[in-house]
C-alpha cells in the first residue's frame, strides 16, 4: 500500500501495544496470527497517483459552502498530482450509492447528498441513493440491494451498475454480489469509501455512537442496532472475504486522520483505535478498508464522518462534530470520473 500504511503491520504486532490496549480497557487482540498478509499494493493495483490527478483536476472547479476555494488538494488526499484538463464524464454506467451504518438515522444529514445533487445538476450524471435499513444486517440489506439491481436491470439492460458503498454500505454491497444472479453481467464494479471491508476493531464504540440519546441521531429510529453490529464483526467479515472472492473489479478509498483533525465526538474512539494503528479514521483501520484484489485509490485526510456526511451544511449539526470541512463533492465526482474512464478502457 502507500508508505504510511506500511507502518501498520509493525504497530499491530508490537507486544507493548497489546499490553497498552489491555491497560486502557480495550479488548486485546484474540487472533494468534494476522488474518491476512500485509504487503505493499503492487503497481498494477496502486492507482493512488492516477486518482489524485483526477481529484486535483476536479477540486479547483468547486467551492465550499461559503463560496471559498478549497485550496491545495494535498490538504485532502495523501497522493497528489498536477491538475489536467477535464473531459466529459463517461455515461455508459449506472451508479448506485449505499450509505453507511445508521445512515437513515442521522439527524438532518445524508451521506453525499450535496455531492449527488452536484453531479446531477452540473454534469447530468445520476447517482441513485439507495436507503437500506439503517441498522439492518448486511445479509438482509444485501438482499434488498440485489432486488433493486434486478429491477433496474430489467428496466434497462444496456448499462451495468457501478456500486458505491460508504462504511457499512460496502459490506452490504458485497453481500448483494453474493446473492445476485450473474453479477458480472449487471455490475461493472464496486467502489468502497472508508468501507468496513475487513470488520471493525471496536464495534462497541460504534454501538455507543448510534444510541438514540446521541444529539446526531434522529428521533424514532429503530432499536435493532445489534443486527448491524454483528455484520461488521471482524470474524464475520474476514470469514466472508475468505469464502467470497470479489466477483467484479473493485476500487477503494481509505480514510485516515490525526487526532487534532478528528471531530470531538469521534476522538474517544480515535484514541482507543490508535493503540493498534494511527492510520485510521476513528472507526476503520486503514488496511481493513481495502478490497482484496481491488485497486487502491489513495488515502483521504478525513475522519469517518467527514469523508461522507455533510454535517457542516446542516443547521442543526452538533457542536461536537467540529472537523467536518472536507470536499466531498470533489471526491465523489473524482470517483465517478476515474472509475468510469478506467472501466471504459478495459475490455468487458
Amino acid at each position: 500500500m502507500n508508505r504510511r500504511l506500511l507502518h501498520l503491520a509493525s504497530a499491530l504486532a508490537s507486544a507493548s501495544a497489546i499490553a497498552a490496549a489491555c491497560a486502557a480497557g480495550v479488548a486485546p487482540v484474540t487472533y494468534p496470527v494476522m488474518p491476512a498478509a500485509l504487503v505493499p499494493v503492487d503497481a498494477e493495483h496502486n492507482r493512488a497517483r492516477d486518482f489524485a490527478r483526477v481529484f486535483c483536476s476536479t477540486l479547483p472547479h468547486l467551492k465550499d459552502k461559503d463560496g471559498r476555494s478549497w485550496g491545495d488538494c494535498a490538504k485532502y488526499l495523501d497522493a497528489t498530482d498536477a491538475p489536467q484538463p477535464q473531459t466529459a464524464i463517461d455515461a455508459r454506467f449506472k451508479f448506485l450509492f449505499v450509505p453507511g451504518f445508521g445512515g437513515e438515522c442521522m439527524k438532518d444529514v445524508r451521506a453525499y447528498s450535496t455531492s449527488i445533487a452536484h453531479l446531477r445538476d452540473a454534469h447530468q450524471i445520476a447517482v441513485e441513493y439507495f436507503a437500506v435499513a439503517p441498522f439492518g444486517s448486511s445479509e438482509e440489506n444485501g438482499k434488498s440491494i440485489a432486488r433493486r439491481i434486478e429491477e433496474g436491470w430489467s428496466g434497462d439492460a444496456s448499462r451495468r451498475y457501478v456500486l458505491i458503498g460508504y462504511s457499512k454500505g460496502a459490506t452490504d454491497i458485497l453481500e448483494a454480489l453474493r446473492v445476485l444472479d450473474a453479477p458480472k453481467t449487471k455490475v461493472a464494479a464496486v467502489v468502497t469509501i472508508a468501507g468496513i471491508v475487513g470488520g471493525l476493531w471496536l464495534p462497541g464504540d460504534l454501538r455507543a455512537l448510534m444510541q438514540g440519546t446521541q444529539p446526531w441521531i434522529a428521533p424514532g429510529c429503530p432499536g435493532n442496532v445489534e443486527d448491524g453490529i454483528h455484520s461488521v464483526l471482524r470474524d464475520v467479515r474476514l470469514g466472508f472475504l475468505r469464502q467470497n472472492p470479489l466477483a467484479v473489479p473493485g476500487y477503494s478509498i481509505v480514510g485516515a486522520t490525526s487526532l487534532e483533525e478528528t471531530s470531538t465526538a469521534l476522538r474517544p474512539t480515535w484514541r482507543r483505535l490508535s493503540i493498534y494503528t494511527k492510520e485510521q479514521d476513528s472507526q476503520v483501520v486503514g488496511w481493513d478498508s481495502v478490497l482484496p484484489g481491488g485497486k487502491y485509490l489513495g488515502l483521504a485526510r478525513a475522519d469517518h464522518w467527514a469523508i461522507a456526511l455533510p454535517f457542516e451544511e446542516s443547521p442543526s449539526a452538533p457542536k461536537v462534530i467540529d472537523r467536518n470541512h472536507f470536499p466531498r463533492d470533489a471526491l465523489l465526482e473524482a470517483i465517478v470520473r476515474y472509475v468510469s474512464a478506467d472501466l471504459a478502457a478495459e475490455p468487458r
Side-chain angles (χ1 to χ4, degrees):
M1 204 168 292
N2 68 27
R3 185 170 59 256
R4 297 176 64 201
L5 288 179
L6 292 178
H7 298 303
L8 295 170
S10 61
L12 179 62
S14 166
S16 61
I18 301 301
C22 295
V26 177
V29 178
T30 57
Y31 303 99
V33 295
M34 282 301 297
L38 296 180
V39 296
V41 176
D42 58 66
E44 179 184 357
H45 292 88
N46 190 346
R47 302 298 182 85
R49 179 56 61 85
D50 294 338
F51 178 76
R53 185 176 304 116
V54 178
F55 175 82
C56 294
S57 300
T58 301
L59 191 63
H61 306 298
L62 293 165
K63 306 294 183 183
D64 69 9
K65 67 183 182 65
D66 297 318
R68 296 173 300 193
S69 170
W70 284 101
D72 185 2
C73 67
K75 294 193 299 184
Y76 312 108
L77 208 63
D78 196 41
T80 61
D81 208 337
Q84 303 290 329
Q86 290 184 311
T87 59
I89 300 174
D90 195 304
R92 73 182 69 185
F93 303 103
K94 293 183 285 189
F95 295 90
L96 186 144
F97 173 78
V98 180
F101 195 87
E104 300 313 294
C105 284
M106 292 294 187
K107 186 183 296 182
D108 299 327
V109 67
R110 261 190 166 188
Y112 290 110
S113 55
T114 60
S115 312
I116 290 171
H118 165 74
L119 282 166
R120 180 194 64 226
D121 298 340
H123 303 287
Q124 293 72 56
I125 296 294
V127 177
E128 178 183 354
Y129 180 103
F130 188 72
V132 293
F135 301 132
S137 70
S138 287
E139 293 83 356
E140 290 305 312
N141 285 356
K143 291 175 184 177
S144 65
I145 295 167
R147 287 193 294 269
R148 180 65 193 95
I149 293 171
E150 293 286 6
E151 292 170 2
W153 184 253
S154 64
D156 176 13
S158 65
R159 297 185 299 158
R160 291 182 296 162
Y161 279 95
V162 172
L163 307 177
I164 305 174
Y166 159 62
S167 188
K168 180 178 171 286
T171 72
D172 294 350
I173 284 172
L174 293 179
E175 290 282 358
L177 287 179
R178 182 179 63 84
V179 300
L180 188 64
D181 182 46
K184 291 183 180 180
T185 64
K186 299 159 188 168
V187 177
V190 169
V191 183
T192 65
I193 306 172
I196 307 177
V197 177
L200 292 184
W201 288 83
L202 302 176
D205 283 28
L206 178 60
R207 183 186 295 110
L209 286 168
M210 292 295 131
Q211 294 302 308
T213 54
Q214 298 286 16
W216 47 82
I217 298 296
C221 278
N224 61 326
V225 177
E226 292 303 320
D227 293 348
I229 290 289
H230 180 267
S231 293
V232 297
L233 297 178
R234 283 183 59 74
D235 58 345
V236 174
R237 296 276 36 101
L238 293 172
F240 177 91
L241 294 175
R242 292 188 188 103
Q243 297 170 20
N244 300 276
L246 191 60
V248 299
Y251 303 82
S252 294
I253 294 280
V254 170
T257 187
S258 66
L259 176 65
E260 294 73 23
E261 292 304 316
T262 298
S263 276
T264 300
L266 302 177
R267 287 184 183 182
T269 300
W270 190 99
R271 288 189 176 97
R272 285 188 282 272
L273 201 53
S274 70
I275 291 169
Y276 303 109
T277 175
K278 287 185 170 57
E279 298 301 333
Q280 42 97 354
D281 63 7
S282 78
Q283 294 291 299
V284 185
V285 169
W287 72 74
D288 278 330
S289 59
V290 178
L291 288 167
K295 294 177 180 178
Y296 172 69
L297 299 187
L299 183 150
R301 302 182 189 278
D303 69 33
H304 195 69
W305 287 353
I307 201 172
L309 295 166
F311 277 104
E312 64 180 343
E313 300 186 28
S314 168
S316 61
K319 292 182 179 179
V320 290
I321 304 176
D322 49 5
R323 295 292 187 275
N324 195 242
H325 197 57
F326 186 81
R328 288 166 289 271
D329 295 0
L331 184 67
L332 188 63
E333 181 179 328
I335 288 171
V336 168
R337 284 182 177 279
Y338 178 82
V339 173
S340 297
D342 192 60
L343 290 171
E346 295 289 336
R348 180 167 176 173

